[in-house]
Amino acid sequence: MRALLYLLASLVPGLAAVAIGVAAFATPFAAALAVPAVPLVAWFERWRLGSPPVRHRWRELGLGLASLLVLWWIDLVMIAFAVGGPIVLIISPAVQEDLGPAIVASVAGVVLVPVGIAVLLLWGRARMTMARELLEPHRLEEVVASRARLVDAFDVERRRIERDLHDGAQQRLVALSMRLGLAKLDLPPGSPAAQQVASAHEEARQALVELRELIRGVHPQVLTDRGLAAAIGEVASRSPIPVEVETVLERLPEPVETAAYYVVSEALANVARHSGASRAWISASRASGALVVEIGDDGAGGADPAKGSGLTGLADRLAVVGGRLSLSSPAGGPTTMRVEIPCE
């Protein structure tokens, strides 16, 4: 019903267009009435859509001009065919003397009623969607900005966790490990107590190693201090699969470096877990105002973003900084991932 009322409201710009056209026949100067009519029709379009004031005035004026010249009569023609056509067929027995064809036409009109309603609803919704997208493009901008704010907030929180782990839990584990080491020296070698303390000392040492790995994964300090090239080299050195690294990079904006690092880190983790590769390679350089990173391996291939959320998550993270991800992974390999992130 809302779509039908929306289309019926096109009578208003239609009447304005007809009035201007009739007046233009009387005097050429009447065509100047279109100048104030366009913003009025534009306001009417926004009002009947229930849209708030637009940020870009030219979008509203463009819709008003299109409505005044073209859209109003398309709306009314759609109503005439979708509603008037079946009605004319239905009342055929009342206006025709030959009842046989008239009854057939009447039945056809009844059958066409739901079809006409469906067509009218589809056109009305499409018309409203078109107008809304023209008047309210900022909705998409707000969604993108909101996603960027969420990612920024996540990065801030991650760094806070890294700082708390580094300054709190890690320091306590270091102190505990030192005390256990000293306690082990004070106990008789080979005694049960010495063995228990030695075991606890080893557990504390392993916990410290794991905590350091966790802190490095949260946000590597080398990325902050020395940049993306050094961070890629460090994550490649920790990979269980040999990785060849070729980087020609200077320091880049922090969001770009952070996004690229986590893509590389996640890609190498996937290579180690799923590819069955014997080697991998990474190249990173800046070309035509964009950071280009390629990660490849000689594994079995067959990687499919539809089978898991990992690649989709990487693509979403890149989208926040305007980047894009492409993947080539035929069955049998090799697999190559290409990442492009604008830097300017």
Side-chain angles (χ1 to χ4, degrees), residues 306-332:
K307 295 180 179 179
S309 60
L311 292 174
T312 304
L314 292 181
D316 289 343
R317 169 176 275 278
L318 289 171
V320 173
V321 292
R324 60 180 181 178
L325 181 150
S326 57
L327 179 69
S328 173
S329 184

Side-chain angles (χ1 to χ4, degrees), residues 180-198:
L180 288 172
L182 293 173
K184 183 173 65 174
L185 295 176
D186 293 337
L187 294 172
S191 64
Q195 293 177 359
Q196 292 292 331
V197 171

